[in-house]
Amino acid sequence: MRKLFLDHALLRTGWARDVAIDVEGGTIRAIRMQALPEGRERLAGITLPGLPNLHSHTFQRGMAGLAETRGPQGDSFWTWRQVMYRFLGQLTPDDVEAIAAFATMEMLEGGFTALAEFHYLHHDRDGRPFADVAELSGRIAAAADETGIGLTLLPVLYTQGGFGGVAPNEGQRRFINDIEGYFRLVEGARKAAGFLDDAVVGIAPHSLRAVTPDALERALAAASEGPIHLHIAEQVKEVEDCIAWSGQRPVAWLLDHAPVDKRWCLVHATHLDSAEMHGLAAADAVAGLCPITEANLGDGIFEGVEFLAAGGRFGVGSDSNIEISAAGELKQFEYSQRLKRRARNVLAQRDGESTGRALYTGALAGGAQALGRHVGALEVGYRADMVVLDAAHPALAALSGDRWLDAYIFVAGKAAIDQVIVAGQTVVTEGRHHKRDAITARYAGTMAHILA
Ligand code: NGQ
Ligand code: ZN
């Protein structure tokens, strides 16, 4: 049992001071406000529920910065993908684990306490399955165990290279499974993640481009519970190709052909018409926004204002991990809307509401839903996942209440993070992960051999 005493905390009911929290088995067992500090371990500063990261490919952290040089023919998402395929083509299981450890360490330092890893790198470099088909799922789980981040593991189904049964290309050989192979993989992923006491395993059809309707249907039929994530409508070309294939836009097709509900997270969902937007909101599915990556890849701008006005649910993900920051994703989401609308404070829902508070609480709820975890609130029965901001940071020092969140998101970012606690265990102190030196040294060695 860990008995904490928090100076300031963001509870469901709002800001509170002198909060006593009892944690046992990783879970919050009791909360009291206006408590006394005696016999408790003090958490000085401003404690927030940790933010879930609802979408990532950890291995891509290793190529961050390697696709920012202009190529001969006009760079796009699709040329970036070629660079990405070349990079992943070299990775060994040890590389995958070392990069995942580094990325998840940075997620914790960046204010994310749980992760949905959209994991599609399954096979060996020659495209042949490993002796253990879930070898690389196991490496992701091992990295999560090393850094302490909460894990929702999403083994990805990838059966084709493009709409209408296009054969996979060389660069995709490490991803491909038929449906029977996929069932073995999911089974293997469950075993591989089973040693983590609270891992969740869901499913993830990669995209409508990468799965046949038949495989999609069979994967859904076999998954009676747990999260379901897929990439959708990220690029205009993808929307056009979907229309050419089916006569429908991607989200319209999905809403017509799959039982989309609360278990679903539609990652990106950038290009929606109004009917798709309202359909997605009405389905209570989560829009999995990855604003920094979407900006980096030139995807387009999600219609956040209309979606939130329709009651839509959202969370954020670090996706390509080009930059890892919970506050940064929320800031980029709001800024994309400001640039598009030439207006300010557009994602707050009411007059007088702080934009930072609206973004943070929205992404907590949507993120927790997408990860299928009891996280996202400092409340009895929830995982004790907390991010403690430094109340003395110059950007926060003279402030209080929601202004702290505005200053965290729009001003200081992750530099304001002091401690991070996952399932009641402190993993970051003074902004540094406890295993930073060892994980960083291993990552540096890994990158040196990959880029040699
Ligand atoms: C991915 N990433 O799977 O890593 C994708 C690129 C694809 C993003 N969509 C590959 N941001 O979509 O085919
Ligand atoms: Zn992705």
Side-chain angles (χ1 to χ4, degrees):
M1 166 91 82
R2 198 168 173 195
K3 289 172 168 287
L4 299 170
F5 181 81
L6 284 49
D7 287 0
H8 302 279
L10 181 62
L11 307 182
R12 272 257 173 82
T13 46
W15 290 100
R17 36 187 327 154
D18 299 342
V19 179
I21 294 191
D22 295 348
V23 180
E24 202 175 4
T27 299
I28 298 175
R29 302 293 179 194
I31 294 201
R32 233 166 345 99
M33 291 186 260
Q34 277 127 32
L36 296 172
E38 276 77 50
R40 294 183 170 272
E41 202 184 321
R42 179 173 167 212
L43 277 190
I46 302 145
T47 301
L48 310 173
L51 205 74
N53 180 357
L54 59 58
H55 188 72
S56 148
H57 315 285
T58 47
F59 77 83
Q60 290 177 14
R61 177 62 185 81
M63 61 166 286
L66 299 182
E68 307 300 324
T69 298
R70 182 168 163 160
Q73 260 125 37
D75 292 316
S76 69
F77 175 90
W78 307 100
T79 59
W80 168 84
R81 194 172 80 156
Q82 292 305 324
V83 177
M84 197 262 282
Y85 285 178
R86 279 198 297 278
F87 177 77
L88 70 80
Q90 316 169 63
L91 303 178
T92 67
D94 285 348
D95 297 341
V96 167
E97 185 175 336
I99 298 171
F102 187 73
T104 55
M105 175 191 79
E106 287 195 329
M107 287 173 196
L108 290 159
E109 292 179 348
F112 290 119
T113 45
L115 165 67
E117 175 71 358
F118 196 102
H119 173 63
Y120 62 88
L121 188 54
H122 302 311
H123 306 316
D124 208 342
R125 285 171 287 180
D126 58 6
R128 270 197 282 248
F130 288 103
D132 170 2
V133 291
E135 169 75 35
L136 296 181
S137 299
R139 299 309 190 111
I140 301 293
D145 183 48
E146 184 175 9
T147 61
I149 202 161
L151 181 65
T152 292
L153 182 59
L154 302 168
V156 170
L157 173 64
Y158 205 113
T159 67
Q160 63 180 5
F163 285 109
V166 172
N169 64 34
E170 276 289 291
Q172 296 163 337
R173 68 185 179 275
R174 304 189 71 174
F175 321 156
I176 301 293
N177 283 293
D178 61 17
I179 192 72
E180 299 302 335
Y182 183 66
F183 292 149
R184 287 192 294 275
L185 173 71
V186 173
E187 194 48 45
R190 276 186 213 292
K191 287 203 190 95
F195 78 99
L196 299 168
D197 60 351
D198 70 328
V200 172
V201 175
I203 65 163
H206 180 276
S207 53
L208 297 183
R209 283 180 273 129
V211 297
T212 62
D214 177 60
L216 175 63
E217 201 181 315
R218 294 183 61 188
L220 294 176
S224 53
E225 55 179 25
I228 304 164
H229 290 217
L230 89 171
H231 294 119
I232 199 158
E234 178 182 12
Q235 282 279 315
V236 169
K237 178 180 184 307
E238 176 188 355
V239 175
E240 292 167 354
D241 290 353
C242 187
I243 293 171
W245 165 68
S246 70
Q248 282 184 296
R249 301 170 58 85
V251 172
W253 188 95
L254 188 74
L255 292 171
D256 270 6
H257 291 84
V260 178
D261 65 10
K262 286 184 170 164
R263 292 169 61 198
W264 288 68
C265 177
L266 276 62
V267 179
H268 308 301
T270 311
H271 301 287
L272 306 179
D273 68 18
S274 187
E276 290 174 302
M277 165 142 319
H278 286 90
L280 175 55
D284 294 336
V286 174
L289 309 178
C290 307
I292 293 175
T293 294
E294 289 154 8
N296 181 269
L297 297 179
D299 289 337
I301 303 175
F302 179 79
E303 255 304 339
V305 174
E306 195 184 330
F307 185 67
L308 296 196
R313 304 172 185 208
F314 77 97
V316 293
S318 63
D319 192 1
S320 67
N321 297 310
I322 180 83
E323 179 188 345
I324 297 179
S325 165
E329 295 294 349
L330 297 172
K331 175 173 75 171
Q332 179 68 27
F333 181 29
E334 168 73 17
Y335 281 0
S336 67
Q337 307 298 305
R338 293 189 189 188
L339 287 163
K340 186 169 187 171
R341 300 197 162 236
R342 289 174 285 190
R344 304 189 70 257
N345 294 320
V346 287
L347 292 173
Q349 296 300 297
R350 308 180 312 273
D351 291 356
E353 186 179 36
S354 136
T355 302
R357 174 76 177 267
L359 288 165
Y360 202 84
T361 55
L364 279 175
Q369 179 179 323
L371 268 65
R373 307 175 75 78
H374 289 289
V375 297
L378 301 178
E379 230 169 75
V380 172
Y382 282 68
R383 299 291 283 178
D385 290 358
M386 309 176 203
V387 169
V388 186
L389 305 179
D390 174 9
H393 186 285
L396 276 65
L399 308 181
S400 64
D402 290 345
R403 297 292 86 72
W404 281 324
L405 277 172
D406 291 331
Y408 169 46
I409 292 168
F410 294 105
V411 188
K414 62 185 169 189
I417 295 174
D418 177 15
Q419 298 184 56
V420 177
I421 295 173
V422 187
Q425 307 278 339
T426 302
V427 295
V428 170
T429 307
E430 293 182 6
R432 287 175 62 89
H433 192 278
H434 290 181
K435 298 180 183 163
R436 171 166 260 284
D437 291 343
I439 290 171
T440 303
R442 184 153 52 107
Y443 176 72
T446 298
M447 290 308 301
H449 94 74
I450 292 171
L451 300 180

